[in-house]
Amino acid sequence: MDYIKEFEELLSNSTKEANEASTLEELANVRIKYLSKKGLISVMINKIREVEDKKAFGEAFKNCKDSLEAILNSKQEVFQKAKINEELLKEKIDITLNGRDFHEGNINPFFKIIREIEDIFIGMGYTIEDGPEVEKDHYNFELLNIPSDHPARDMQDSFYIDETTLLRTHTSPVQARVMEKNQNKPVKIICPGKVFRRDDDDMTHSHQFAQVEGLVIDKNINMGNLKATLELFVKKMFGEKREIRLRSSYFPFTEPSVEVDISCMNCNGKGCSMCKGTGWIEILGAGMVNPKVLEMSGYDSNVYSGFAFGIGIERVAMLRYGIDDIRRFYQNDIRFLNSFVKKVED
């Protein structure tokens, strides 16, 4: 039968071309030439209608097609293995070379202090609140009893984006937002976060730093509650031997206001260079929430009262670890971080 001879000739020619192919691309061209939809072998199926013994023709067509596919697949596998071996030789690893040492990094003491402060206050029943760092003047100043003509604004020289928007100068706007949302409901929160003020970039000041501010509002809250809270915080943070001292001060959003000192941990209150001979170190500001602030946020100041406090995170970390320069927290110096291998609780 002529078609048998034609199949044998097609298989012979395609096998020869497959064996002569030296690359995967050339092999793919042979596959396309003979086995694609319009390939020389594939189109042979159209002749089945011209023969009498269709079964024999179909078997011959299948044998020719399957034989060429097997040859092409075998050749392709050889090429692929050769390519993989070539790549492996190029990427060969010299196992006699010294390996790379991977060291576990140390946590910046800044973040250790934040976590410990949060743990202390969560243990006292506080919740953590967050707010935007780009803030409206209304929340950053107005609702905190600092109107546009108030001299207290000079104490917080600010980065303004436009006339009504600025980088927050403290985390107190979070307190204002929480009070506005929870009118005439008890509040017990801390709000840690970054704040921004134009300042001299020296050893103890930075244009960016972090605070943890706290706010408690409920019925019958008084100065004794504030003192007890801060006393507990100080003892947990700096040790059971530490004492606190409240000094009268002024903040627009609290009345009365106090500066809070702790007994010097270096000399135990006897007087040294660290505490400048006084025996005390200032660590935070606090006070009873100004009734006007409560009223502006929707609280009835005849029913509700509260206290607020603000703690500088870097300030606490510098005292806790004896760090002399606030800029060290932000320089990502591995030598500095490696100095704090112990956990805070150690």
Side-chain angles (χ1 to χ4, degrees):
M1 295 181 184
D2 291 338
Y3 65 83
I4 296 294
K5 186 176 180 181
E6 194 170 353
F7 278 127
E8 289 176 349
E9 188 174 333
L10 283 171
L11 182 59
S12 175
N13 292 338
S14 59
T15 301
K16 181 182 177 184
E17 291 181 30
N19 289 330
E20 290 176 351
S22 58
T23 65
L24 281 169
E25 185 178 357
E26 291 177 2
L27 195 67
N29 290 334
V30 175
R31 187 183 294 275
I32 293 170
K33 180 179 178 181
Y34 289 96
L35 297 179
S36 65
K37 189 174 182 181
K38 295 183 180 180
L40 296 178
I41 292 177
S42 298
V43 297
M44 285 290 291
I45 194 65
N46 297 327
K47 294 185 178 183
I48 195 170
R49 61 176 70 94
E50 301 172 6
V51 299
E52 293 183 4
D53 192 349
K54 291 180 170 51
K55 181 179 178 182
F57 182 91
E59 289 177 353
F61 171 80
K62 186 175 185 303
N63 288 336
C64 178
K65 185 178 179 182
D66 289 349
S67 297
L68 179 57
E69 281 185 341
I71 292 169
L72 291 172
N73 289 340
S74 176
K75 186 88 174 183
Q76 180 176 323
E77 188 176 343
V78 171
F79 282 145
Q80 288 175 335
K81 284 183 178 179
K83 186 178 180 180
I84 290 172
N85 289 332
E86 184 181 350
E87 290 176 353
L88 288 174
L89 287 173
K90 288 180 181 178
E91 299 173 3
K92 186 176 180 181
I93 300 172
D94 187 349
I95 61 173
T96 64
L97 291 174
N98 294 327
R100 294 180 180 178
D101 291 330
F102 292 93
H103 300 286
E104 183 178 355
N106 296 309
I107 300 174
N108 192 309
F110 174 85
F111 294 106
K112 289 184 177 183
I113 291 297
I114 290 178
R115 292 174 186 175
E116 186 169 357
I117 291 174
E118 289 178 345
D119 288 344
I120 290 171
F121 283 104
I122 288 173
M124 288 192 273
Y126 286 70
T127 58
I128 298 174
E129 293 285 345
D130 195 13
E133 293 176 3
V134 178
E135 187 57 274
K136 291 294 182 183
D137 183 284
H138 177 68
Y139 289 102
N140 195 80
F141 291 125
E142 297 286 345
L143 286 182
L144 299 171
N145 197 31
I146 312 175
S148 57
D149 58 350
H150 200 291
R153 290 204 180 198
D154 295 337
M155 299 163 58
Q156 300 187 22
D157 209 356
S158 314
F159 295 102
Y160 274 88
I161 295 170
D162 56 41
E163 291 184 357
T164 62
T165 311
L166 71 159
L167 297 180
R168 67 184 183 188
T169 61
H170 44 192
T171 55
S172 299
V174 181
Q175 299 179 14
R177 289 178 176 273
V178 171
M179 284 191 286
E180 188 178 64
K181 185 174 64 176
N182 295 276
Q183 295 179 9
N184 285 321
K185 293 180 182 177
V187 169
K188 194 174 184 180
I189 64 164
I190 58 168
C191 34
K194 289 185 288 185
V195 299
F196 309 85
R197 299 180 193 175
R198 196 185 73 179
D199 210 335
D200 295 327
D201 192 14
D202 61 16
M203 291 175 61
T204 59
H205 296 84
S206 173
H207 64 278
Q208 173 193 307
F209 56 100
Q211 290 180 334
V212 174
E213 294 196 20
L215 174 68
V216 174
I217 297 176
D218 208 336
K219 298 175 182 177
N220 302 317
I221 298 296
N222 56 51
M223 204 68 177
N225 301 129
L226 171 61
K227 184 180 180 184
T229 299
L230 296 180
E231 205 162 35
L232 179 59
F233 163 72
V234 164
K235 288 183 181 299
K236 285 184 174 291
M237 177 59 67
F238 296 103
E240 289 295 325
K241 294 181 179 180
R242 300 283 69 78
E243 301 293 334
I244 70 169
R245 179 179 71 175
L246 307 184
R247 289 182 292 107
S248 179
S249 186
Y250 168 75
F251 302 109
F253 34 86
T254 55
E255 179 60 39
S257 304
V258 293
E259 297 283 358
V260 181
D261 303 332
I262 64 169
S263 55
C264 180
M265 65 284 295
N266 187 51
C267 65
N268 287 319
K270 295 177 182 177
C272 65
S273 59
M274 184 175 180
C275 61
K276 298 179 181 179
T278 66
W280 298 91
I281 299 174
E282 178 188 329
I283 61 162
L284 61 94
M288 300 300 296
V289 179
N290 193 312
K292 189 174 180 180
V293 172
L294 291 172
E295 295 287 350
M296 284 191 291
S297 295
Y299 279 85
D300 184 349
S301 62
N302 293 316
V303 178
Y304 288 92
S305 58
F307 64 76
F309 54 86
I311 306 165
I313 294 171
E314 292 91 342
R315 174 71 170 158
V316 173
M318 291 173 78
L319 290 173
R320 182 71 177 270
Y321 290 107
I323 299 168
D324 60 352
D325 192 333
I326 192 173
R327 293 169 293 188
R328 296 186 188 277
F329 293 111
Y330 311 114
Q331 291 171 338
N332 292 324
D333 189 330
I334 298 298
R335 294 167 300 178
F336 172 71
L337 298 180
N338 286 341
S339 302
F340 305 96
V341 292
K342 289 187 177 181
K343 297 180 180 179
V344 170
E345 55 268 25
D346 295 337

